[in-house]
């Protein structure tokens, strides 16, 4: 097909608002192809925390442990100019969630010190910036899931989950020197399982306050609900948080913002009453106003746009600041002078930081360009530390000071200097309905003319491919494949109407869009139409299942962690709320459930397909891959099923990460490279 409109840009440029410093290197060296071994050497950088004076940035670096099939997360600290980088914790245990004390003299973090006790629970630890070893700040039996320093630098709020009956019995057995008993799960909740966690009892997460190091925490909130997003008021007297106080919190996402005095027995004040979800409360510097994200259309689930809103901290009128923006808003934070609220958005392949002028409501790009920003933190002097990535740079820490954006950390520079990385084209085209759709096309390395290509579908469905480092695309390019990465209808980044276009109709409009994206890549001369593969993970695997039931153009498919027969998932996966809102109850709308289930179109499949899944995936249960594998096997289609033991929806064990990469490549090589 010939698209009626086509816009092609090269990735890598930055906006005038943000000037990036160029990476330095001792000397030029010959670059080689991206390999699985090279990807294994890359470390993951996250969680920037900037000191109150803006001089230092703490962050987390996660990498593989040499000689062991596991990873380790370690805290580092870099000077704002990037000239000094110091490890803050040892590589003998995992550390995460760094946070500076208000005076900048201590750095707190979460860790389960398995080097001290193999059964250690996660506690808050602190490091004195004058020197010395990390010291435990908490000693809570079941551990800590979150914390925040109080403004006085002495107290902390803690997020603590109740110790369930089974957990208590197992702990008591360990303490008595006995073997942990095997116990049945007794379930009476509507939402009764969670991927990566397991079966759920009624152990809920609540807010506690600890007065000083190793003191007994005082419980502030309670009830049969989970509290989250807790944060101190600037004067340290109150705590804002989000929770769901409806009669059945497992049946909806109606979280609201509450404020409670930081003392036992206090009664919370409800700040918001919208039937949609409010999350991520953030106090204004004067303590009078709360900013937060809000969803105005709960009936649209994740297809609804999340907006930035403010309300008086005592409750009252709601002010929407981003209603005209029509983009998802995340992570609001106030500027130190209280004049602006920062937040991130998803926007047509980019993820910038924007700012809302509190007085006028004017919105502006604050840090923007052809990159994606995932975490950021605001210093007392107004500087921002942020985690930024682009197509040729895995996440690193950057500093936004004034109008200057500079790279602070260069964790992966030595590895990147050895790699010949692919640079994608960003392409906008019109789909068959005349709607503009975007895609990234990574060209194959060392291939002259049209190359064999992989249509690689993203997860979600409400997500977007963006200007971030994409290991699969780099690996495919190095192995001679072009990669077509489309943001079809259903994706975020182009507004609510674009997202909700696939509501209760998966695999129809998004299939049309990804196929138009493939045709666009063919028209650009980058892709050989006779050597096409398709694949993806999570919703990327789900969309792959739709693709192979609708067309025979693809010679090979890899369907990762996918779903296929949706009725069978009801009560087995974690999405009971979402299924009921989008499709209704299966016994009341079986026709609707079957209409979007690729399983019933199995006889149409001609594409050799490999299925891959984690054995303990409860997000998208392995049952789906097993069922579609067996269907294709019985129909005589070349197929294979790969199940990773002990893994949930994300495949984390390093040897399995490498194995998954290799199996993608091997399957495509078999059918696309005769």
């Amino acid at each position: 097909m010939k698209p009626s409109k086509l816009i092609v840009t090269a990735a890598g440029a930055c906006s005038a608002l943000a000037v990036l410093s160029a990476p330095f290197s001792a000397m030029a060296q010959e670059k080689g192809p991206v390999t699985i071994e090279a990807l294994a050497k890359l470390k993951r950088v996250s969680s920037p925390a900037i000191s109150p004076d803006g001089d230092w940035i703490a962050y987390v670096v996660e990498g593989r442990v040499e000689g062991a099939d596991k990873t380790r997360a370690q805290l580092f600290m870099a000077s704002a100019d990037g000239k000094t980088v110091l490890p803050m914790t040892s590589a003998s245990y995992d550390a995460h969630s760094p946070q500076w004390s208000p005076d900048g003299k201590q750095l707190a973090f979460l860790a389960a010190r398995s080097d001290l006790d193999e059964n250690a629970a996660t506690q808050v630890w602190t490091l004195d910036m004058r020197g010395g070893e990390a010291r435990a700040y908490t000693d809570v039996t079941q551990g800590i899931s979150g914390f925040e320093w109080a403004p006085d630098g002495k107290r902390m709020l803690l997020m603590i989950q109740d110790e369930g009956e089974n957990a208590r019995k197992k702990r008591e057995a360990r303490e008595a020197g006995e073997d942990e008993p095997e116990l049945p799960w007794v379930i009476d909740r509507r939402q009764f399982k969670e991927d990566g966690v397991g079966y759920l009892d009624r152990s809920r997460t609540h807010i506690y306050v600890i007065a000083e190091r190793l003191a007994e925490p005082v419980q502030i909130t309670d009830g049969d609900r989970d509290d989250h997003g807790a944060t101190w008021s600037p004067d340290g007297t109150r705590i804002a948080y989000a929770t769901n106080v409806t009669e059945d919190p497992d049946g909806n996402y109606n979280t609201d913002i509450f404020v409670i005095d930081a003392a036992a027995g206090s009664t919370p004040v409800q700040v918001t009453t919208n039937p949609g979800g409010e999350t991520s409360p953030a106090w204004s510097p004067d303590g009078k106003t709360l900013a937060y994200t809000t969803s105005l259309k709960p009936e649209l689930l994740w297809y609804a746009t999340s907006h930035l809103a403010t309300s008086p901290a005592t409750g009252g009128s709601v002010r929407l600041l981003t209603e005209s923006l029509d983009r998802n808003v995340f992570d609001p934070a106030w500027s130190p002078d209280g004049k602006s609220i920062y937040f991130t958005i998803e926007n047509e392949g980019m993820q910038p930081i924007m700012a809302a002028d509190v007085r006028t409501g004017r919105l502006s790009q604050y840090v923007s360009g052809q990159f994606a920003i995932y975490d950021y933190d605001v210093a007392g002097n107004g500087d921002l530390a942020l985690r930024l990535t682009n197509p040729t740079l895995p996440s690193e820490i950057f500093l936004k000071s004034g109008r200057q954006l500079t790279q602070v950390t260069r964790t992966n520079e030595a590895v990147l200097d050895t790699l010949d990385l692919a640079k994608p084209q960003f392409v906008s085209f019109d789909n068959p309905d005349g709607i503009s759709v975007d895609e990234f096309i990574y060209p194959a390395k060392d291939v002259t003319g049209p190359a064999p290509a992989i249509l690689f579908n993203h997860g979600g469905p409400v997500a977007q491919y963006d200007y971030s480092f994409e290991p699969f695309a780099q690996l495919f390019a190095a192995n001679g494949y072009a990669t077509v990465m489309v943001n079809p209808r259903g994706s975020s980044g182009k507004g609510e109407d674009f997202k909700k276009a696939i509501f209760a109709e998966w695999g129809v409009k998004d299939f049309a869009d990804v196929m138009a994206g493939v045709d666009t890549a063919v028209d650009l001369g980058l892709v050989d139409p006779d050597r096409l593969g398709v694949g993806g993970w999570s919703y990327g695997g789900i969309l792959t299942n739709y693709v192979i039931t609708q067309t025979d153009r693809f010679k090979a498919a890899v369907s990762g962690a996918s779903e296929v027969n949706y009725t069978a998932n009801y009560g087995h996966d974690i999405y009971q709320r979402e299924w009921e809102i989008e499709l209704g109850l299966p016994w009341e709308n079986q026709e609707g459930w079957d209409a979007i289930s690729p399983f019933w179109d199995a006889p149409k499949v001609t594409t050799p397909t490999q299925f891959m899944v984690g054995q303990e995936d409860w997000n998208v249960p392995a049952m789906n891959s097993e069922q579609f594998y067996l269907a294709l096997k019985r129909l005589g289609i070349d197929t294979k099923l790969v199940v990773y033991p002990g893994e949930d929806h994300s495949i984390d064990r390093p040897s399995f990460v490498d194995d998954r990469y290799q199996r993608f490549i091997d399957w495509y090589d078999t059918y696309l490279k005769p």
Side-chain angles (χ1 to χ4, degrees):
M1 78 173 226
K2 290 289 185 182
S4 58
K5 180 180 72 175
L6 182 64
I7 301 173
V8 184
T9 59
C14 299
S15 95
L17 293 175
V19 181
L20 277 71
S21 62
F24 59 83
S25 180
M27 58 184 298
Q29 55 183 300
E30 185 176 350
K31 295 180 182 293
V34 174
T35 63
I36 295 173
E37 292 74 20
L39 292 176
K41 295 177 182 178
L42 295 176
K43 300 180 185 296
R44 290 182 287 275
V45 176
S46 65
S47 308
I50 191 166
S51 61
D53 59 11
D55 290 343
W56 294 91
I57 303 171
Y59 57 99
V60 176
V61 176
E62 183 179 3
R64 299 191 179 191
V65 178
E66 188 173 354
D69 197 11
K70 60 183 179 181
T71 60
R72 183 73 77 206
Q74 191 175 356
L75 291 192
F76 282 78
M77 184 174 74
S79 57
D81 60 11
K83 294 180 179 179
T84 303
V85 175
L86 302 171
M88 302 304 293
T89 61
S90 79
S92 61
Y93 62 92
D94 285 308
H96 58 97
S97 305
Q99 190 179 131
W100 294 91
S101 62
D103 62 7
K105 294 180 179 179
Q106 296 184 79
L107 182 65
F109 59 94
L110 292 177
R113 292 293 300 271
S114 56
D115 58 328
L116 303 177
D117 177 1
E118 64 180 0
N119 295 311
T122 298
Q123 307 292 347
V124 179
W125 295 76
T126 63
L127 282 163
D128 192 315
M129 291 298 97
R130 295 169 296 185
E133 295 294 322
R135 299 171 61 202
Y137 197 90
T138 63
D139 184 15
V140 175
T141 298
Q142 62 268 45
I144 308 294
S145 60
F147 74 100
E148 184 178 281
W149 286 98
D152 60 18
K154 297 178 181 178
R155 296 170 297 155
M156 287 186 183
L157 69 78
L158 308 173
M159 305 305 298
I160 302 176
Q161 184 178 16
D162 306 328
E163 186 179 29
E165 182 179 2
N166 283 11
R168 177 183 57 79
K169 289 179 178 179
K170 291 183 178 182
R171 174 181 57 80
E172 291 174 346
R174 289 196 308 270
E175 292 174 349
E178 302 170 356
D179 293 336
E180 291 187 14
E182 288 290 336
L183 301 168
W185 287 99
V186 180
I187 295 166
D188 64 355
R189 283 181 56 179
R190 178 169 166 178
Q191 185 70 27
F192 61 88
K193 57 169 63 173
E194 187 63 47
D195 187 50
V197 177
Y199 286 108
L200 303 178
D201 56 21
R202 291 195 178 268
S203 301
R204 297 291 198 169
T205 299
H206 296 299
I207 303 168
Y208 290 68
V209 169
I210 185 170
E212 59 185 355
R213 187 182 303 276
L214 300 181
E216 184 70 23
V218 175
Q219 187 167 352
I220 304 299
T221 62
D222 57 17
D224 187 20
R225 61 188 66 90
D226 293 302
D227 307 319
H228 53 91
T231 183
W232 289 98
S233 63
D235 63 4
T237 63
R238 296 167 294 166
I239 296 170
Y241 63 101
T243 196
N244 186 329
V245 297
T246 63
E247 185 175 340
D248 182 14
D250 285 348
N252 60 75
Y253 286 103
N254 185 14
T255 55
D256 281 298
I257 305 300
F258 289 78
V259 170
I260 192 169
D261 289 342
S266 299
T267 301
V269 174
Q270 186 167 350
V271 176
T272 66
T273 58
N274 170 45
E278 276 79 47
T279 60
S280 307
W283 291 90
S284 61
D286 62 9
K288 295 180 180 180
T289 306
L290 284 165
Y292 51 89
T293 64
T294 182
S295 175
L296 304 179
K297 300 177 181 178
E299 71 277 7
L300 287 182
L301 290 169
W302 40 46
Y303 305 104
T305 297
S306 61
H307 291 287
L308 175 67
T310 62
S311 292
T314 53
S317 61
V318 176
R319 183 186 181 196
L320 286 176
L321 295 174
T322 60
E323 193 168 15
S324 63
L325 183 61
D326 196 21
R327 294 292 186 270
N328 286 333
V329 168
F330 307 97
D331 303 326
W334 293 77
S335 62
D337 61 11
K339 295 181 179 180
S340 300
I341 302 172
Y342 305 126
F343 56 95
T344 60
I345 67 167
E346 298 170 309
N347 183 41
E348 298 183 347
M350 293 175 284
Q351 187 148 318
I353 294 177
M354 295 193 68
D357 185 293
V358 176
R359 184 179 63 85
T360 66
R362 179 178 176 271
L363 305 177
S364 60
Q365 301 272 0
Y366 192 66
V367 188
S368 63
Q370 290 181 339
F371 46 70
I373 297 169
Y374 291 116
D375 303 283
Y376 73 98
D377 191 34
V378 185
N381 64 0
D383 290 350
L384 271 63
L386 47 94
R387 176 167 68 104
L388 181 150
T389 174
N390 67 37
T392 58
L393 180 72
S395 291
E396 293 284 3
I397 306 302
F398 283 68
L399 179 70
K400 172 71 163 62
S401 183
R403 293 181 60 85
Q404 187 75 16
L405 180 65
T406 55
Q407 185 173 347
V408 175
T409 66
R410 303 177 188 279
T411 309
N412 291 302
E413 186 173 58
V415 178
L416 296 176
D417 280 348
T418 69
L419 301 179
D420 182 17
L421 296 172
K423 296 181 180 180
Q425 294 183 16
F426 182 75
V427 179
S428 295
F429 60 92
D430 280 357
N431 69 10
D433 294 329
I435 298 171
S436 177
V437 176
D438 303 327
E439 67 182 342
F440 290 88
I441 305 174
Y442 283 75
K445 304 294 290 187
D446 301 325
V447 175
T448 301
I454 311 301
L455 168 63
F456 203 59
N457 301 313
H458 69 62
V462 182
Q464 68 164 1
Y465 279 126
D466 57 27
Y467 284 95
S468 60
F469 186 81
E470 177 47 64
F472 271 103
Q474 293 292 348
L475 188 62
F476 291 156
N479 282 273
Y481 295 102
T483 310
V484 180
M485 297 163 47
V486 186
N487 285 326
R489 278 170 286 184
S491 303
S492 52
K494 291 182 81 72
E496 188 170 277
D497 288 343
F498 195 84
K499 287 184 291 184
K500 72 179 184 181
I502 67 167
F503 186 93
E505 202 176 15
W506 292 5
V508 179
K509 295 181 176 69
D510 43 350
F511 167 72
D513 290 356
V514 296
M515 295 308 297
V518 169
D519 289 337
T520 298
V522 171
D523 291 342
L524 290 171
L526 299 173
V527 166
D528 182 346
D530 297 321
R531 289 187 291 169
L532 297 175
V534 62
W537 197 265
S538 194
Y539 190 81
I542 293 171
L543 185 52
T544 295
N545 294 343
Y546 286 113
V547 168
I548 62 176
T549 60
Q550 300 301 312
T551 180
D552 61 1
R553 290 181 61 184
F554 295 90
K555 303 299 187 291
V558 179
S559 177
S562 67
E563 287 182 319
V564 63
N565 181 0
Y566 297 120
T567 306
N569 283 281
Y570 184 75
H572 186 53
D573 67 16
I574 63 176
Y575 293 116
Q576 50 86 19
R577 281 171 288 203
E578 291 82 359
W579 288 129
E580 291 184 22
I581 293 173
E582 191 159 357
L583 293 175
L585 294 168
W587 52 89
E588 295 177 352
N589 184 31
Q590 188 62 59
E591 182 179 356
W593 286 68
D594 287 348
I596 67 168
S597 295
F599 184 78
W600 309 116
D601 287 326
K604 299 178 181 178
V605 177
T606 61
T607 305
T609 304
Q610 176 175 254
F611 297 94
M612 308 173 77
V613 68
Q615 180 189 23
E616 298 178 8
D617 188 338
W618 282 356
N619 184 313
V620 182
M623 168 191 68
N624 294 272
S625 298
E626 295 168 345
Q627 287 182 325
F628 216 20
Y629 161 77
L630 183 58
L632 298 194
K633 194 74 172 176
R634 290 289 288 112
L635 290 165
I637 304 300
D638 287 348
T639 186
K640 183 181 290 185
L641 173 64
V642 181
V643 181
Y644 292 103
E647 294 293 301
D648 54 28
H649 193 57
S650 60
I651 306 300
D652 297 320
R653 190 186 305 182
S655 61
F656 290 165
V657 171
D658 295 348
D659 182 86
R660 182 172 62 162
Y661 282 138
Q662 191 62 58
R663 290 185 186 277
F664 266 90
I665 295 297
D666 289 347
W667 191 260
Y668 292 135
D669 281 354
T670 299
Y671 298 97
L672 301 181
K673 291 183 176 180

